Structure formats: C-alpha cells, structure tokens
Amino acid sequence: MDRTFVAVLGLLLAAVSTAASAADPPGVRGAEVLEDGAAVHALSVGRQSWSGSEREDAQLIEPRVRYGLPAGYEIGLSANHRSQGDDGNGLRHLALEAATPLRREPGAADITLAGYGTVAPADGDSGIGSGSHNLGLGLHLSDDLGATRLHSSVAVERADVAEIDGQPGYRAVNRLRYGARAEHRVAASLDLTLEAAAVYGVSGDEVQNQFGLALRPGVRLHLGPTIDLALSAGRDLPDSGVEPTNTVTAQLTHRPQPAPSRRELAARVEHLEAAHASTRARAAMEAGRADEQRERIELLRRRAGQLDVEVINASGEVGMGRAMADRVREEGHYVVRVQDSAHGRDGQQTTHIRYRPGHGEQAVALGESLERIQEVTEGDLPRGADVRILVGRDQREPLGHGAEEDGS
C-alpha cells in the first residue's frame, strides 16, 4: 500500500474518532529511541480554556527529560505543574515513560514499543494531588515521505478523566488512543506541524463516549544545532466541556551532544586494533619484501663483481686515500667512505685489503687489479662495507688532480 495513502488514512481516522479525552497523556512522540548516553531536555508552557463551562483557565508548565540506556532502551520523566483557580495549583503528577525499538531499518518505517504512566496520589490540599492516574502501552511509528515526516501512535490505556461540568473527582475508563503528527520541512530552520489526537472508549461510564477530537497546527523553529522551539495552538472540536476547548503550547527542546556510547567506544577500540594489526602485518610484509630486495641486489652485485669499498689512508701522506678511491671506482666498485688513519704521519709501508666473510674471491680479484697489494685477509668490517683497503706508502705514484688537493 502506498505510504502517502497510509498517512492520509491515519489523519482521517483521527478526525472521525469518538473519545472521552484527547489531551491528557503526552503528545504523539516519534519512534526515535535515544542512543546510549544521549539526552533530550524540554520545557513546555501552555494555556487551556473551556468555553461554556464554569472551569477557570489553566496555565501549565511541564519540564521533561529523556535519557538513552544501553541495549537500546530509553526512559523519560516529566513533571506537570498546573495553575487553575484557588484549588488547582502546584505539581499535579509525575509521568514516567520507557521505550525500546522493535524495528529500525534503512528505507523502512521505524517502530517503537513504549509504556507510560503517571504517579499522582489523591491529595487535594497540597503537593501532587490531581487524583488522575494513567497507565498505557503503545506502538509508535515514524516514516519519511519526502520532505514530510509522519509520526503515528496507537496505545491502550487505563485513565482517570475529570467529571463533567467541573464537578470534583475523576472517573476510571479504559480506552484506545490514536494520534498522528506530520512535520513538513519548508526551510532549513523551519518545519510546519499538524497533530491530531483521538480516543476510543473501551469500557467505563458514559463520559468516555462523548465525541472528542483535538487538532493542533503549529511550527517548529531550529534555533541552533541542538535547540528547537515548537509552537502550537489548537482546539478540541466537540464543545462538551470535558476537555479544554482551546490549547496553546510552546516547547523549548535541547539536545546536548552525547558522549560516545559504550557500544561506540567498543567499536572504536575494535577498529583501532584491527587497523593496528593490519599495519603490523603490512609492515612485516614490507620488511620481508625489503629483505628480499636486498638479497636480490646483493646477489646481482656479487654476480657483477661490484663491492662496497671503504678506503683508509694509512700512509701518512696527503692525497693517497683519494687517489686509491679513484682507482677503485675505475674498477667498477662503489666507495662508501674515504678517511685518514688515526696514526697520522706515522703511516704504514704496505697496502692491506680486509674483506667481509663471503667476499674473498672478489677481494683477491680487486687486489690483483690494483697491483702492489701484499696482503688480503678476512676480518670484521663496519656495516655497509664489503672490503676495506688500508693504503700504504707502497702505493706512492705521481698524483693526479685529486691528489693535489688537501685532505684524504
């Protein structure tokens, strides 16, 4: 069935309902259930009047708070303050509500199960004293229809309703309550709203069977990222004197940014651990690839006969080290460093070659290519060098351009 047709049908059902009361319980709430740790604070003020009745106008103040709990639950608490004549002032009742989602899927209507009730000991002199008790269980649905969001509610409740014509006391009734609210976004900071509420009597005295229907158009202003102001004005269509004929309400709502929930924190930790494990695995893989590449490069260099050579001028004569480095490069090897021996001018006579284990054949071939090398031995070398040449004075020869410069 088309969702637009369902929305229109819901509003029509509310418009033709017979009821005893359309204003006692909270208004139509959405199917949204707050996340763990999220909160909503609201303050409602309103005025009710009865035409053709001896009842005095009533002023209402009602603070509300909703709080999200773990495992998808939500609780709410509100306190109803009423000022009406000499005997109707003060805190009338406390209302409790609990809700949990039944369905919350993308692209489908959200459905929530909620229970509510009021605590109001009968004490007409002071304190909580309305004598009105309500207890109900209902289903709340919310769905998006383009720029319009529709909320509807069906509940079964036991309630106390006031006597007719302003007589003192309340009568107990059982009833089926229906409500619908449409919210249409017309601007980034403005919604138009329309709420309809009706009640079907199930059992009780004749007071429940009187025709009653409340229609409340209004607007909602988004004053900031976390603050909304809702204004509504409506009336109960049947002028029976039981429910207020006219109702005006303003509600300020604040949604503070919630702290991360335990579920969100656990998800973050799990994500970080997975990312860390992935990073370690990637680093290990890259390290393995780097080692493999180094081994391949080393193998290629060995096959090409290329060595990393360290040249130390141990002759005590300026320029001998640099001259030897040039000759090594001419043989196709890489010179990693050139430096003078710490012995200074008291240098050695002969030239020696030391090689890292595994480079013996290449070191001997290098010595033969350089000539006048009297000793080639295996030894420990610093990292990055395959061969070390200790240049002695036996390598003295006419110096080229590089040997005429100062330094090694």
Side-chain angles (χ1 to χ4, degrees):
M1 182 180 295
D2 183 78
R3 290 192 292 184
T4 304
F5 175 76
V6 173
V8 174
L9 179 61
L11 290 174
L12 291 176
L13 286 175
V16 299
S17 300
T18 57
S21 170
D24 281 343
V28 180
R29 59 157 289 163
E32 171 200 26
V33 173
L34 299 180
E35 296 290 338
D36 179 20
V40 174
H41 308 130
L43 177 64
S44 298
V45 295
R47 182 181 181 88
Q48 296 177 339
S49 62
W50 288 258
S51 61
S53 173
E54 297 181 359
R55 291 190 182 185
E56 299 184 34
D57 293 352
Q59 291 76 39
L60 308 176
I61 300 178
E62 186 172 18
R64 290 172 177 260
V65 63
R66 296 166 54 196
Y67 191 76
L69 300 177
Y73 293 95
E74 173 192 310
I75 59 172
L77 174 66
S78 63
N80 183 278
H81 297 258
R82 180 189 295 265
S83 175
Q84 186 178 21
D86 297 331
D87 299 328
N89 300 324
L91 177 63
R92 307 303 291 169
H93 63 250
L94 299 176
L96 301 173
E97 183 180 18
T100 186
L102 297 182
R103 186 176 71 181
R104 185 162 47 185
E105 301 175 359
D110 297 332
I111 302 177
T112 294
L113 177 65
Y116 60 90
T118 60
V119 178
D123 180 0
D125 295 331
S126 63
I128 299 176
S130 70
S132 174
H133 300 262
N134 296 296
L135 183 64
L137 183 67
L139 289 176
H140 302 277
L141 294 87
S142 295
D143 201 4
D144 288 316
L145 304 172
T148 302
R149 185 161 179 79
L150 177 69
H151 308 282
S152 57
S153 174
V154 178
V156 177
E157 65 181 19
R158 180 270 185 196
D160 293 339
V161 297
E163 292 281 7
I164 302 177
D165 297 330
Q167 298 180 18
Y170 294 86
R171 296 186 180 185
V173 297
N174 297 308
R175 54 196 184 184
L176 178 66
R177 174 173 293 275
Y178 176 82
R181 186 176 79 249
E183 302 171 350
H184 182 72
R185 178 64 53 90
V186 296
S189 59
L190 176 63
D191 295 344
L192 298 181
T193 63
L194 175 62
E195 181 170 333
V199 177
Y200 295 88
V202 177
S203 65
D205 295 329
E206 62 177 359
V207 65
Q208 65 171 317
N209 296 319
Q210 299 180 46
F211 178 77
L213 169 66
L215 294 176
R216 302 185 185 96
V219 297
R220 176 177 290 108
L221 304 174
H222 304 285
L223 304 182
T226 61
I227 300 177
D228 290 348
L229 175 63
L231 305 173
S232 65
R235 61 183 290 118
D236 191 76
L237 297 183
D239 188 7
S240 62
V242 177
E243 294 304 320
T245 307
N246 300 295
T247 302
V248 179
T249 305
Q251 178 173 279
L252 186 66
T253 304
H254 176 229
R255 291 173 172 260
Q257 295 295 333
S261 65
R262 282 179 283 268
R263 182 185 305 174
E264 182 179 351
L265 291 176
R268 289 184 186 179
V269 171
E270 183 177 353
H271 175 73
L272 291 175
E273 289 179 346
H276 182 57
S278 176
T279 301
R280 285 187 300 177
R282 190 182 304 111
M285 182 176 62
E286 294 295 334
R289 290 178 178 176
D291 291 340
E292 183 179 351
Q293 290 297 106
R294 280 194 293 268
E295 292 176 359
R296 290 180 178 178
I297 293 173
E298 180 67 20
L299 178 60
L300 292 174
R301 291 180 58 190
R302 289 187 183 182
R303 290 177 179 176
Q306 185 181 15
L307 296 170
D308 287 337
V309 180
E310 177 185 67
V311 178
I312 298 179
N313 183 10
S315 67
E317 298 184 16
V318 176
M320 296 287 286
R322 182 167 298 185
M324 176 61 73
D326 291 340
R327 293 168 61 188
V328 170
R329 293 189 184 99
E330 291 175 358
E331 295 297 327
H333 301 290
Y334 179 70
V335 178
V336 296
R337 67 182 66 89
V338 181
Q339 64 186 45
D340 288 329
S341 171
H343 295 296
R345 296 290 179 179
D346 298 330
Q348 66 186 34
Q349 178 63 34
T350 59
T351 299
H352 296 169
I353 290 181
R354 294 178 184 171
Y355 61 86
R356 187 186 300 278
H359 297 82
E361 294 183 4
Q362 294 168 290
V364 171
L366 175 61
E368 292 175 352
S369 66
L370 297 177
E371 300 179 351
R372 288 179 283 180
I373 304 298
Q374 298 185 10
E375 184 179 347
V376 179
T377 59
E378 181 180 315
D380 294 330
L381 298 181
R383 180 183 297 274
D386 301 325
V387 172
R388 172 185 289 172
I389 301 178
L390 298 167
V391 182
R393 287 193 294 272
D394 58 357
Q395 297 293 322
R396 187 188 296 114
E397 61 181 19
L399 300 178
H401 173 72
E404 293 176 356
E405 300 176 359
D406 292 338
S408 56

